[in-house]
Amino acid sequence: MPTKGVARNEILDMLRTAWKAVGAVTETALMIYPNVDADLPDSAAGTKDDPVIYGRVTIKHGEGQKRTLPGETGGSPNAHQVEHRGLIIVQNFAPNGEGLATNDAMDKIVKDAFLGERTPSGVSFGAESYEEVGNDGPWFQTNVSVPFLYDEIKL
């Protein structure tokens, strides 16, 4: 049963593996990970000089829910099980005026990374949802959201 940090790292590893494996769409695409310095493409500053596609991932943990009373999980009399739910949000950006094919391809990579999968420590994923946000400077933005769930034993 994972901790918050283990769950986050496994989720990011799954996305990183999927993003790198596809190649055709993501060869030149940058993925920006939480709290990691990255140079945004020049176009992110608001020019169309050198557009490159990119994505940005955010993992949001929601409210935990106690599932057992202390002592019901075995082991320590103070141990209890907590269910954690959260949301993975990947914002995908492709140059304006090029249609939605690139955004759709990036969105599919995100969906395929998590659909029907489970991490080694037990993080599971729900059905994804899509949002066509629209123009953002020189970019067209789409978002993919994937809910996740895992249990943790609190001692």
Side-chain angles (χ1 to χ4, degrees), residues 64-77:
Q65 183 80 25
K66 190 187 273 190
R67 291 291 178 207
T68 60
L69 296 173
E72 288 183 354
T73 57
S76 167

PDB file of all heavy atoms in Angstrom, residues 64-77:
ATOM      1  N   GLY A  64      -8.755  12.458   1.975  1.00  0.00           N
ATOM      2  CA  GLY A  64      -8.682  11.044   2.346  1.00  0.00           C
ATOM      3  C   GLY A  64      -9.936  10.625   3.101  1.00  0.00           C
ATOM      4  O   GLY A  64     -10.634  11.452   3.703  1.00  0.00           O
ATOM      5  N   GLN A  65     -10.212   9.342   3.076  1.00  0.00           N
ATOM      6  CA  GLN A  65     -11.390   8.805   3.753  1.00  0.00           C
ATOM      7  C   GLN A  65     -10.967   7.613   4.603  1.00  0.00           C
ATOM      8  O   GLN A  65     -10.422   6.647   4.076  1.00  0.00           O
ATOM      9  CB  GLN A  65     -12.405   8.356   2.692  1.00  0.00           C
ATOM     10  CG  GLN A  65     -13.703   7.852   3.237  1.00  0.00           C
ATOM     11  CD  GLN A  65     -14.619   8.989   3.615  1.00  0.00           C
ATOM     12  OE1 GLN A  65     -14.519  10.084   3.097  1.00  0.00           O
ATOM     13  NE2 GLN A  65     -15.524   8.726   4.528  1.00  0.00           N
ATOM     14  N   LYS A  66     -11.200   7.682   5.907  1.00  0.00           N
ATOM     15  CA  LYS A  66     -10.874   6.564   6.789  1.00  0.00           C
ATOM     16  C   LYS A  66     -11.844   5.427   6.487  1.00  0.00           C
ATOM     17  O   LYS A  66     -13.058   5.614   6.490  1.00  0.00           O
ATOM     18  CB  LYS A  66     -10.977   6.984   8.245  1.00  0.00           C
ATOM     19  CG  LYS A  66     -10.426   5.939   9.199  1.00  0.00           C
ATOM     20  CD  LYS A  66     -10.683   6.298  10.642  1.00  0.00           C
ATOM     21  CE  LYS A  66      -9.607   7.162  11.191  1.00  0.00           C
ATOM     22  NZ  LYS A  66      -9.716   7.320  12.660  1.00  0.00           N
ATOM     23  N   ARG A  67     -11.276   4.230   6.219  1.00  0.00           N
ATOM     24  CA  ARG A  67     -12.098   3.085   5.853  1.00  0.00           C
ATOM     25  C   ARG A  67     -12.256   2.055   6.961  1.00  0.00           C
ATOM     26  O   ARG A  67     -13.133   1.212   6.881  1.00  0.00           O
ATOM     27  CB  ARG A  67     -11.524   2.404   4.608  1.00  0.00           C
ATOM     28  CG  ARG A  67     -11.666   3.226   3.363  1.00  0.00           C
ATOM     29  CD  ARG A  67     -13.130   3.282   3.018  1.00  0.00           C
ATOM     30  NE  ARG A  67     -13.350   4.112   1.840  1.00  0.00           N
ATOM     31  CZ  ARG A  67     -14.456   4.753   1.609  1.00  0.00           C
ATOM     32  NH1 ARG A  67     -15.449   4.697   2.461  1.00  0.00           N
ATOM     33  NH2 ARG A  67     -14.595   5.480   0.536  1.00  0.00           N
ATOM     34  N   THR A  68     -11.389   2.060   7.952  1.00  0.00           N
ATOM     35  CA  THR A  68     -11.503   1.102   9.051  1.00  0.00           C
ATOM     36  C   THR A  68     -11.235   1.819  10.364  1.00  0.00           C
ATOM     37  O   THR A  68     -10.577   2.851  10.402  1.00  0.00           O
ATOM     38  CB  THR A  68     -10.489  -0.052   8.908  1.00  0.00           C
ATOM     39  OG1 THR A  68      -9.174   0.489   8.899  1.00  0.00           O
ATOM     40  CG2 THR A  68     -10.735  -0.874   7.667  1.00  0.00           C
ATOM     41  N   LEU A  69     -11.715   1.257  11.425  1.00  0.00           N
ATOM     42  CA  LEU A  69     -11.437   1.776  12.760  1.00  0.00           C
ATOM     43  C   LEU A  69     -10.089   1.247  13.221  1.00  0.00           C
ATOM     44  O   LEU A  69      -9.634   0.192  12.768  1.00  0.00           O
ATOM     45  CB  LEU A  69     -12.538   1.347  13.728  1.00  0.00           C
ATOM     46  CG  LEU A  69     -13.922   1.908  13.424  1.00  0.00           C
ATOM     47  CD1 LEU A  69     -14.956   1.274  14.349  1.00  0.00           C
ATOM     48  CD2 LEU A  69     -13.920   3.418  13.571  1.00  0.00           C
ATOM     49  N   PRO A  70      -9.432   1.937  14.134  1.00  0.00           N
ATOM     50  CA  PRO A  70      -8.148   1.443  14.641  1.00  0.00           C
ATOM     51  C   PRO A  70      -8.256   0.001  15.126  1.00  0.00           C
ATOM     52  O   PRO A  70      -9.228  -0.385  15.761  1.00  0.00           O
ATOM     53  CB  PRO A  70      -7.834   2.399  15.792  1.00  0.00           C
ATOM     54  CG  PRO A  70      -8.523   3.668  15.423  1.00  0.00           C
ATOM     55  CD  PRO A  70      -9.797   3.227  14.720  1.00  0.00           C
ATOM     56  N   GLY A  71      -7.251  -0.799  14.767  1.00  0.00           N
ATOM     57  CA  GLY A  71      -7.202  -2.188  15.191  1.00  0.00           C
ATOM     58  C   GLY A  71      -7.870  -3.166  14.249  1.00  0.00           C
ATOM     59  O   GLY A  71      -7.633  -4.358  14.318  1.00  0.00           O
ATOM     60  N   GLU A  72      -8.724  -2.701  13.314  1.00  0.00           N
ATOM     61  CA  GLU A  72      -9.422  -3.606  12.403  1.00  0.00           C
ATOM     62  C   GLU A  72      -8.529  -4.133  11.285  1.00  0.00           C
ATOM     63  O   GLU A  72      -8.871  -5.103  10.632  1.00  0.00           O
ATOM     64  CB  GLU A  72     -10.635  -2.920  11.767  1.00  0.00           C
ATOM     65  CG  GLU A  72     -11.780  -2.711  12.710  1.00  0.00           C
ATOM     66  CD  GLU A  72     -12.980  -2.085  12.020  1.00  0.00           C
ATOM     67  OE1 GLU A  72     -12.884  -1.714  10.837  1.00  0.00           O
ATOM     68  OE2 GLU A  72     -14.034  -1.981  12.656  1.00  0.00           O
ATOM     69  N   THR A  73      -7.407  -3.465  11.021  1.00  0.00           N
ATOM     70  CA  THR A  73      -6.554  -3.872   9.907  1.00  0.00           C
ATOM     71  C   THR A  73      -5.492  -4.872  10.317  1.00  0.00           C
ATOM     72  O   THR A  73      -4.690  -5.296   9.506  1.00  0.00           O
ATOM     73  CB  THR A  73      -5.853  -2.644   9.277  1.00  0.00           C
ATOM     74  OG1 THR A  73      -5.114  -1.975  10.294  1.00  0.00           O
ATOM     75  CG2 THR A  73      -6.848  -1.716   8.644  1.00  0.00           C
ATOM     76  N   GLY A  74      -5.443  -5.275  11.569  1.00  0.00           N
ATOM     77  CA  GLY A  74      -4.417  -6.203  12.050  1.00  0.00           C
ATOM     78  C   GLY A  74      -3.167  -5.439  12.428  1.00  0.00           C
ATOM     79  O   GLY A  74      -3.035  -4.252  12.176  1.00  0.00           O
ATOM     80  N   GLY A  75      -2.221  -6.136  13.022  1.00  0.00           N
ATOM     81  CA  GLY A  75      -0.983  -5.471  13.420  1.00  0.00           C
ATOM     82  C   GLY A  75      -1.224  -4.560  14.611  1.00  0.00           C
ATOM     83  O   GLY A  75      -1.821  -4.941  15.606  1.00  0.00           O
ATOM     84  N   SER A  76      -0.804  -3.324  14.493  1.00  0.00           N
ATOM     85  CA  SER A  76      -0.898  -2.356  15.580  1.00  0.00           C
ATOM     86  C   SER A  76      -2.361  -2.069  15.933  1.00  0.00           C
ATOM     87  O   SER A  76      -3.207  -1.950  15.052  1.00  0.00           O
ATOM     88  CB  SER A  76      -0.205  -1.055  15.153  1.00  0.00           C
ATOM     89  OG  SER A  76      -0.528  -0.009  16.042  1.00  0.00           O
ATOM     90  N   PRO A  77      -2.657  -1.934  17.224  1.00  0.00           N
ATOM     91  CA  PRO A  77      -4.033  -1.610  17.610  1.00  0.00           C
ATOM     92  C   PRO A  77      -4.458  -0.210  17.164  1.00  0.00           C
ATOM     93  O   PRO A  77      -5.643   0.102  17.165  1.00  0.00           O
ATOM     94  CB  PRO A  77      -4.029  -1.724  19.136  1.00  0.00           C
ATOM     95  CG  PRO A  77      -2.601  -1.630  19.533  1.00  0.00           C
ATOM     96  CD  PRO A  77      -1.784  -2.121  18.373  1.00  0.00           C
TER      97      PRO A  77
END
